[in-house]
Amino acid sequence: MTDTTTAPAFIQLRVETLEDLHTGSGTGGGDIDALVQRDRRGQPVIRASHLKGLLREAGEELIAFGALTTDDLHALLGTQGTGRGALRLTSLRVPDGAEGKTLIWGSTQRVENGRAPQPDTLRFIEHVAAGTRFDATLRLADARLQPRLTRLLKRVDRLGGARNRGGGLVKLDWEPITFTPGPLPMESGRSVRLVVRNLEPLCLPATGHPGNLIRSHSFIRGQTLRGALMAWAIHNGQAHRLDLFERLSVGDARPLPEGCDSTEQVIPIPLSLLTDKPRGGDSALPWWAGGGGSADTFDALGHMPEAEEKRKRPGAHEYLCRMANGTNWQRYSPAMRVRLRNATPKRESDEDARLFSLEEIAESTCFQVDVQGVDADAVKDFLDVFAPVLAGTDWLAIGRGGQPTCIVSVQPTPTPPLPPALGDDWTLTLTSEAIVRGERLGFLDNLTLEHLCRLVGIDAQNHWKIVTDVVETTPVHGFNAVTGLTRAPALALRRGSCWRITGAGSGELARALIRMGALGERADEGFGQFLIGLQPIASEALGKASNALRTPDENRSETLLARARELADRLGDHGPSLSQLQWVRSQATAVDAEARLRELLNDIEQAPHRRPQGGKAWQHFPHHPLHEALDGCRTLTEKRQLITYLVQWRVLKAKEERS
């Protein structure tokens, strides 16, 4: 085994494409049969799994030549089912400030023993253009393995698909890097607040029996983050300090809005918040595409007016946050995507490749979590043991595949706002799942006053009652790293479940719950957290600052599609041919500056005058309306997308006319 107490080494990898390459996403769009993979910024990306697979392939070649041993390769890259290797890496991404240029290539199969194209084999494939640069960060748990990694990197000269046919030629450069430690709080009290950021998309399975689509949580459970910290301690010679977690409670790490790295408070949205469907606006677009006006939000625990139709319930991945010194709540959802994966079988295996999908939280999402100790000494020991991780000089492995995750900042937890005066009418809202058992040790699917009073050890009064409740349950799965088996699932009350309790003197129960701090079992893993008096959050409490979030943002793709369809309808039978339009689309998607796009459009506008025969068809092209539509686009990417949609609509219209 690798001596994991050795300090890790970090390497900056730079890749420059010398030829066009295709990194397949498994999906197409419009007339493009295969699109490249893209990150949350819309830039092309080469996944870490692809690069790691090529490194493994290079290692197997070296083993065949007798230049590397199997043990060396397993120590570096790990083996299936027996543990991870020393190498952990990020995906190759276009650097900030640069743009990944892409091209569309068309190809066909040829008839046997001839040069003519086979019918119905024309395919359009998107490629990353030559000259594009990508960066990635590699972490070696043991710096002594660096020579072995260097030997593998030297053998990788092509990336992407069609490598055996000469595609994807690249140039690799690498150099060691060091991270500057971030500041740690001198005085932390009994609680610290961490901001965690995932360097790679995270899949945190929400089920113990995944199918073709592996669903993911939109937050990092406290038990997951706690386990990642324990694993780091074990692999870095701190296993004797694991008893520290008997004095710590690690809460759920909840996602923050995009571009935000700290808030005063973030909670899962209460399940009682209901929203009217937006009305008015542009009738040409559906309400979910941004065509509706503002939507009012109501709390089912309070007084809510009747509605003509059923109101919208909150989404499964919605949250509320409140900024520092702010009074308004902001409603949002983290960016999540579905990615296709292909489980490649081992060499010389009869197994077929298995296609499946992952739901993932987008990379560079920030999460906020509070770590509480039984006393200040427990938190001080926590800062001492995990100083490299907390200072940002090392990573944690979280989620499916152990994706690299770093800690951005560590601050003392701000003093929570005082709850409102607890009278005879108050609310209880779960901010994390709660695992609560009844008298016969079965899992509860709701809370009654008798259960609440029994939990805190007081007698329930006959005039106390729960007047309204909104409750859902969810299974909680887990994995026992010691036995290698899944844990028996537990039934939990879902985060966001809430109750409204009334009755003279019922504030005594609320104060007892606050003193207890958490409900049910496994509080050290973040379960059973709650807030008193959070609701009702009326529409005015959400405030104007969050109005753009309560109303769906304008769906730019839908708007661009509508404009493209109007332009396509203006193209008559005497306009440019489909091949000419495809040429315009390929040229437009290849431009990397506004000036080059204007030059392209000016060229086709002048084509009838410069080329009386070949350019005649461009006389009937809607040049002026297209210029007006492009002026309404916000970015160069939107302009290229509009032209692409225009061609796609025209192709579809031509197919309808032929049929």
Side-chain angles (χ1 to χ4, degrees):
M1 291 182 61
T2 301
D3 182 5
T4 53
T5 61
T6 304
F10 287 87
I11 298 171
Q12 182 74 37
L13 177 65
R14 294 185 176 90
V15 174
E16 181 183 359
T17 59
L18 303 181
E19 295 179 355
D20 300 342
L21 67 85
H22 174 71
T23 57
S25 63
T27 60
D31 57 337
I32 303 176
D33 297 281
L35 296 170
V36 300
Q37 297 189 54
R38 295 182 180 272
D39 59 15
R40 70 182 301 164
R41 301 174 301 160
Q43 298 281 18
V45 62
I46 301 174
R47 296 292 182 184
S49 57
H50 176 66
L51 178 58
K52 193 171 182 180
L54 293 180
L55 291 174
R56 187 179 296 277
E57 184 178 88
E60 291 173 351
E61 292 175 353
L62 289 175
I63 292 174
F65 297 150
L68 192 73
T69 67
T70 302
D71 291 341
D72 289 341
L73 184 62
H74 290 174
L76 190 62
L77 301 180
T79 56
Q80 184 176 3
T82 60
R84 303 188 185 103
L87 178 65
R88 193 174 302 148
L89 65 160
T90 66
S91 295
L92 287 159
R93 292 190 173 84
V94 177
D96 292 338
E99 183 177 4
K101 182 180 176 183
T102 60
L103 302 171
I104 308 298
W105 287 91
S107 63
T108 62
Q109 295 181 13
R110 292 180 177 177
V111 297
E112 188 175 357
N113 300 321
R115 298 183 60 85
Q118 276 193 5
D120 300 325
T121 61
L122 179 62
R123 298 181 75 243
F124 291 98
I125 302 176
E126 186 179 23
H127 288 74
V128 179
T132 304
R133 202 190 90 182
F134 295 90
D135 291 344
T137 304
L138 283 60
R139 176 195 182 273
L140 271 177
D142 188 347
R144 295 173 299 183
L145 296 175
Q146 191 164 343
R148 304 177 196 174
L149 175 62
T150 300
R151 296 171 68 183
L152 299 186
L153 290 172
K154 288 180 178 179
R155 290 195 62 83
V156 176
D157 60 352
R158 296 182 184 273
L159 298 176
R163 298 188 302 277
N164 295 331
R165 288 174 284 175
L169 184 65
V170 295
K171 176 185 176 182
L172 274 65
D173 292 306
W174 56 89
E175 61 182 0
I177 58 174
T178 57
F179 293 113
T180 303
L184 295 179
M186 300 298 295
E187 299 292 337
S188 56
R190 292 181 52 186
S191 178
V192 289
R193 174 163 291 176
L194 314 180
V195 176
V196 183
R197 183 174 65 223
N198 60 322
L199 304 178
E200 284 292 292
L202 277 182
C203 179
L204 304 163
T207 175
H209 306 282
N212 290 333
L213 174 61
I214 302 177
R215 292 286 184 185
S216 173
H217 291 297
S218 56
F219 66 101
I220 305 174
R221 283 200 187 276
Q223 69 179 105
T224 301
L225 183 56
R226 188 170 180 263
L229 289 167
M230 286 183 171
W232 184 92
I234 293 172
H235 287 86
N236 286 273
Q238 299 288 338
H240 62 286
R241 303 294 301 274
L242 290 183
D243 58 348
L244 169 64
F245 286 94
E246 297 178 3
R247 301 182 289 146
L248 291 174
S249 172
V250 182
D252 290 343
R254 304 184 186 105
L256 299 177
E258 186 172 356
C260 175
D261 58 6
S262 66
T263 64
E264 177 184 296
Q265 192 176 18
V266 55
I267 60 172
I269 190 169
L271 300 180
S272 61
L273 287 189
L274 304 178
T275 309
D276 279 341
K277 294 181 180 178
R279 301 291 183 185
D282 187 356
S283 59
L285 297 176
W287 68 267
W288 47 263
S294 61
D296 292 327
T297 301
F298 301 95
D299 197 321
L301 295 191
H303 299 289
M304 188 169 57
E306 296 292 335
E308 296 180 358
E309 58 182 330
K310 193 174 182 180
R311 292 184 167 95
K312 292 173 73 261
R313 299 174 60 190
H317 302 314
E318 286 196 84
Y319 295 84
L320 296 177
C321 75
R322 183 162 51 190
M323 301 301 175
N325 302 321
T327 57
N328 295 331
W329 289 93
Q330 187 177 2
R331 183 173 180 174
Y332 63 96
S333 298
M336 300 186 71
R337 295 179 178 177
V338 174
R339 179 162 67 105
L340 293 177
R341 291 294 307 275
N342 194 2
T344 306
K346 295 181 179 180
R347 288 191 176 185
E348 300 179 358
S349 173
D350 295 333
E351 296 181 5
D352 295 328
R354 292 171 296 164
L355 183 66
F356 64 99
S357 303
L358 296 174
E359 185 179 33
E360 297 177 323
I361 308 172
E363 72 280 359
S364 298
T365 299
C366 287
F367 303 81
Q368 184 171 288
V369 57
D370 291 335
V371 178
Q372 298 179 349
V374 296
D375 51 33
D377 289 338
V379 175
K380 184 178 179 180
D381 292 342
F382 171 73
L383 297 177
D384 178 59
V385 172
F386 295 97
V389 175
L390 300 177
T393 60
D394 205 354
W395 296 343
L396 293 175
I398 292 180
R400 193 178 189 275
Q403 301 302 329
T405 306
C406 67
I407 294 179
V408 178
S409 67
V410 184
Q411 299 292 336
T413 302
T415 303
L418 294 175
L422 298 176
D424 299 335
D425 190 343
W426 51 279
T427 58
L428 167 67
T429 305
L430 293 180
T431 55
S432 67
E433 266 79 29
I435 302 174
V436 186
R437 296 181 187 266
E439 291 181 335
R440 299 183 180 180
L441 301 182
F443 296 111
L444 298 182
D445 58 5
N446 201 345
L447 292 177
T448 65
L449 277 173
E450 290 73 17
H451 292 137
L452 288 173
C453 292
R454 189 180 302 114
L455 286 172
V456 299
I458 64 175
D459 295 329
Q461 304 298 318
N462 293 332
H463 53 277
W464 296 354
K465 60 180 179 179
I466 297 178
V467 294
T468 312
D469 60 9
V470 181
V471 186
E472 292 184 10
T473 59
T474 183
V476 175
H477 302 275
F479 180 80
N480 191 320
V482 176
T483 63
L485 301 174
T486 56
R487 299 173 64 171
L491 185 67
L493 303 174
R494 185 184 159 189
R495 66 194 187 283
S497 297
C498 42
W499 298 261
R500 183 179 178 185
I501 301 168
T502 63
S506 61
E508 176 187 358
L509 174 58
R511 287 185 287 272
L513 288 170
I514 292 175
R515 288 193 298 270
M516 189 172 65
L519 296 174
E521 304 175 0
R522 296 163 62 177
D524 56 344
E525 299 177 7
F527 289 97
Q529 300 295 316
F530 62 87
L531 287 174
I532 299 290
L534 174 67
Q535 290 154 302
I537 300 178
S539 58
E540 58 270 13
L542 287 174
K544 295 182 179 180
S546 61
N547 183 58
L549 292 163
R550 289 187 290 115
T551 302
D553 292 334
E554 179 186 3
N555 190 311
R556 294 296 296 171
S557 295
E558 292 287 339
T559 304
L560 294 175
L561 277 170
R563 293 176 181 172
R565 186 169 189 173
E566 294 176 0
L567 294 171
D569 291 340
R570 299 192 181 196
L571 289 173
D573 297 335
H574 302 290
S577 65
L578 294 183
S579 61
Q580 288 175 313
L581 291 175
Q582 294 285 15
W583 174 83
V584 171
R585 184 196 54 74
S586 64
Q587 294 296 315
T589 55
V591 301
D592 55 3
E594 298 273 358
R596 293 187 60 183
L597 180 61
R598 288 194 297 269
E599 291 176 4
L600 172 64
L601 297 179
N602 290 334
D603 286 343
I604 64 175
E605 191 171 356
Q606 297 299 322
H609 307 288
R610 294 200 311 267
R611 298 187 296 273
Q613 297 300 324
K616 185 176 181 181
W618 293 106
Q619 292 178 349
H620 305 282
F621 190 75
H623 299 286
H624 184 66
L626 177 60
H627 280 289
E628 291 182 345
L630 291 174
D631 290 339
C633 296
R634 301 172 181 174
T635 62
L636 176 62
T637 300
E638 285 193 357
K639 293 180 180 181
R640 294 184 301 195
Q641 191 174 10
L642 176 62
I643 295 175
T644 298
Y645 287 161
L646 167 62
V647 177
Q648 290 173 358
W649 274 121
R650 181 54 188 160
V651 171
L652 179 62
K653 187 175 181 180
K655 290 181 178 179
E656 292 176 349
E657 292 172 353
R658 288 197 299 266
S659 61

